[in-house]
Amino acid sequence: MQAKEALSIGEIANRVGLSVSAIRFYEARGLVMAHRTAGQQRRYHRADIRRLSFIKIAQQLGLSLDEIKAELDRLPLGRAPNARDWRGISTAIAATLDQKIQALTQTRDRLDGCIGCGCLSLETCALFNPDDQAGKSGAGPRYLLGDDIPPANNR
């Protein structure tokens, strides 16, 4: 890496709007990679500005660090991603977001009814979950986790 292309951790933190400790954390997780100077100071490629900006945006969209890392692992290190690189990532993220939107919509639409928790404490449980049918599928709020509400019990 040429000296003029290298950014210190403080410089990159200021450019991206992250704390130095956050950048160290992302480095430890393998999301960015620093090179060390002879004095063991971290230096980053200018392309890492985009990688770190992507991390911030992806987190705001609700992606986990593991999901973000999987997408970043598709990118080349040491150079700015090109339009083709970003197009591939955006396609994958759009699919993930569509799944999350569907789950959130389903949760919102069922929030005022039975969630299939097996509590049997609500008056409506006799209608939505007779004899704790949801409990046969497993623990937790079965209907909010994606199990289908039996047709006879739909509102």
Side-chain angles (χ1 to χ4, degrees):
M1 174 176 0
Q2 296 177 0
K4 69 177 183 174
E5 293 178 7
L7 297 170
S8 71
I9 194 167
E11 290 170 325
I12 203 164
N14 286 334
R15 287 289 308 271
V16 180
L18 288 169
S19 67
V20 168
S21 62
I23 294 172
R24 286 188 192 119
F25 174 76
Y26 295 142
E27 183 181 346
R29 294 288 305 260
L31 300 170
V32 293
M33 185 176 73
H35 299 279
R36 300 291 180 143
T37 66
Q40 293 302 305
Q41 294 177 333
R42 288 177 170 91
R43 293 290 184 257
Y44 295 88
H45 287 278
R46 287 195 167 283
D48 288 324
I49 292 171
R50 288 190 183 173
R51 292 175 75 88
L52 290 164
S53 295
F54 169 74
I55 293 167
K56 284 181 68 170
I57 292 166
Q59 285 182 310
Q60 288 177 350
L61 293 174
L63 273 67
S64 70
L65 286 180
D66 288 337
E67 290 170 317
I68 293 168
K69 182 172 180 359
E71 292 306 320
L72 286 174
D73 284 348
R74 297 171 53 182
L75 293 176
L77 287 173
R79 78 161 171 82
N82 60 32
R84 183 174 166 208
D85 297 329
W86 283 124
R87 204 170 15 258
I89 286 177
S90 67
T91 300
I93 290 175
T96 299
L97 290 176
D98 286 343
Q99 290 171 350
K100 290 179 185 234
I101 289 168
Q102 182 180 5
L104 287 169
T105 301
Q106 182 179 19
T107 300
R108 182 203 62 212
D109 293 348
R110 293 180 176 174
L111 203 52
D112 65 340
C114 181
I115 60 173
C117 66
C119 69
L120 300 176
S121 64
L122 300 174
E123 290 178 19
T124 58
C125 279
L127 289 173
F128 287 104
N129 191 18
D131 300 318
D132 192 19
Q133 291 296 311
K136 294 177 183 175
S137 297
R142 301 311 315 164
Y143 301 149
L144 288 182
L145 292 173
D147 290 2
D148 289 329
I149 297 174
N153 297 334
N154 282 329
R155 290 188 272 170

